[in-house]
Amino acid sequence: MVSLERSRKKVMLPKKFMVHFSLCFVMGFFTGFAPTGKSIFHSHVDSSNRSEFAPQPIEVSQKTTDFNRSWRAPTPSSVVHKHEKPWPQLKPRTLIIIVTPTSTKLPIQAVIFLTRLANTIKLVPQPLLWIVVEGQTESSELSKTLRNTGIMYRHLVSKENFTDLEAELNHQRNLALKHIVHHRLSGIVHFAELSNVYDLEFFQQLRYIQVFGTWATALLAANRNKVIIEGAVCDSSQVIGWHLRNMNNESDTITPPIHISSFAFNSSILWDPERWGRTSSLQDTSQGFIVYTDTNISS
């Protein structure tokens, strides 16, 4: 009996193995035809609990929004550090226009004095324009001197022939004024003679002139034994006269013409007269017009 039961158990083991193997094969075969990326076990949970696990919208009150806005960082343009000062508004310097006539009667002295005057002008802060007028023919030596100065300049040549020295210089100044009008140069015009001696602070003061400016000057007489001090007589900001005195504080009996280097003026007076309350028909570019008409202009 014992041997019979053992033989039956031996027969049942291969049958159970074949049954289990068949079931696993069938399940694996049909599982291979199922769609990928979706689980049959999770589909029911997703469909039934979707509303339960989905995030709900949050209502934000106006008070919370204002609180967040108050803590919002300012834009970079509005950030100003307490220890930093705002950048100052830089005002461009006024152009100084210096007019210097030369004489054909003294060519050697003209170059020497021109070099001395150039050594002063080159120390003046820019912008500055130096208009040098030469008589009759252009001198190569004078042109070379101007090129070596390093100053912004314009070299004009007068074709007129003069026998009188003062008439020649007056013509050269008027030629420079016509050049200013033609090119509408905007700046403060000052006539600088070759023999003039300057303090650098003088050119800084020229830039403060709005319309017309004048100052007291000391003139050395030709015989070098007499110094004449001349200056304007002013009423508030208007020039109403002129006075001359020597070193002994005595008034001169003879009243010479006003020295050309005793004043400076805004160049727009020449080419924009309507700006200063005059009609364009009264426009003139001679130095006589400047001296005798503009002495009553408010500075």
Side-chain angles (χ1 to χ4, degrees):
M1 290 296 292
V2 176
S3 60
L4 182 61
E5 291 179 359
R6 289 181 178 177
S7 61
R8 287 180 180 178
K9 290 182 179 179
K10 291 181 179 178
V11 175
M12 291 295 293
L13 289 176
K15 290 182 179 181
K16 289 182 179 181
F17 174 76
M18 292 300 296
V19 172
H20 285 287
F21 177 79
S22 300
L23 290 175
C24 292
F25 177 78
V26 172
M27 291 182 65
F29 178 78
F30 285 104
T31 303
F33 290 97
T36 60
K38 181 182 285 188
S39 175
I40 59 176
F41 300 101
H42 290 84
S43 59
H44 176 70
V45 176
D46 293 340
S47 59
S48 61
N49 299 332
R50 183 175 302 166
S51 60
E52 181 180 353
F53 294 97
Q56 300 298 324
I58 301 175
E59 296 182 1
V60 181
S61 63
Q62 183 66 27
K63 182 177 180 180
T64 305
T65 305
D66 294 339
F67 177 78
N68 293 334
R69 186 182 295 114
S70 64
W71 284 94
R72 187 179 302 167
T75 57
S77 59
S78 63
V79 175
V80 178
H81 298 287
K82 294 182 179 180
H83 63 278
E84 292 183 359
K85 295 182 180 180
W87 287 98
Q89 297 294 331
L90 299 180
K91 183 179 180 181
R93 292 195 188 103
T94 304
L95 173 67
I96 297 178
I97 305 174
I98 298 178
V99 176
T100 301
T102 62
S103 175
T104 57
K105 307 296 187 295
L106 303 171
I108 299 179
Q109 292 185 8
V111 175
I112 295 175
F113 287 139
L114 193 73
T115 303
R116 187 187 66 175
L117 184 59
N119 291 333
T120 301
I121 294 177
K122 67 171 39 175
L123 300 177
V124 179
Q126 297 298 319
L128 183 144
L129 175 62
W130 193 14
I131 301 179
V132 179
V133 188
E134 188 179 5
Q136 293 185 349
T137 58
E138 182 177 355
S139 172
S140 59
E141 188 174 0
L142 192 144
S143 299
K144 181 180 179 181
T145 302
L146 290 174
R147 287 194 300 269
N148 293 335
T149 59
I151 304 171
M152 183 172 63
Y153 72 91
R154 295 188 182 181
H155 186 188
L156 308 181
V157 179
S158 173
K159 302 299 182 181
E160 301 292 333
N161 187 14
F162 294 90
T163 56
D164 182 62
L165 176 61
E166 192 61 31
E168 180 184 17
L169 297 178
N170 287 338
H171 175 76
Q172 292 179 1
R173 296 187 192 102
N174 292 334
L175 184 64
L177 294 178
K178 291 180 180 179
H179 181 83
I180 293 173
V181 172
H182 179 73
H183 295 281
R184 291 182 174 267
L185 301 178
S186 180
I188 303 300
V189 180
H190 171 63
F191 297 99
E193 302 297 287
L194 289 175
S195 58
N196 288 4
V197 179
Y198 292 96
D199 186 338
L200 290 178
E201 182 63 22
F202 168 79
F203 297 98
Q204 180 63 27
Q205 295 299 322
L206 285 181
R207 290 193 162 99
Y208 295 127
I209 296 176
Q210 298 296 325
V211 183
F212 178 85
T214 183
W215 48 84
T217 57
L219 306 176
L220 183 63
N223 54 12
R224 296 181 179 274
N225 60 0
K226 186 179 181 181
V227 177
I228 300 175
I229 300 177
E230 69 173 51
V233 179
C234 300
D235 181 10
S236 184
S237 61
Q238 289 187 335
V239 179
I240 60 175
W242 207 263
H243 66 112
L244 300 172
R245 290 186 179 275
N246 57 24
M247 291 296 292
N248 297 326
N249 203 27
E250 297 176 355
S251 299
D252 233 328
T253 55
I254 301 176
T255 304
I258 298 173
H259 196 273
I260 196 66
S261 297
S262 298
F263 63 92
F265 60 93
N266 194 314
S267 62
S268 62
I269 293 177
L270 300 175
W271 48 265
D272 192 10
E274 295 181 357
R275 175 183 174 186
W276 309 106
R278 298 194 303 276
T279 60
S280 58
S281 60
L282 297 177
Q283 183 176 354
D284 191 0
T285 57
S286 65
Q287 59 177 327
F289 172 77
I290 296 298
V291 173
Y292 299 111
T293 304
D294 290 333
T295 52
N296 290 324
I297 295 179
S298 176
S299 60

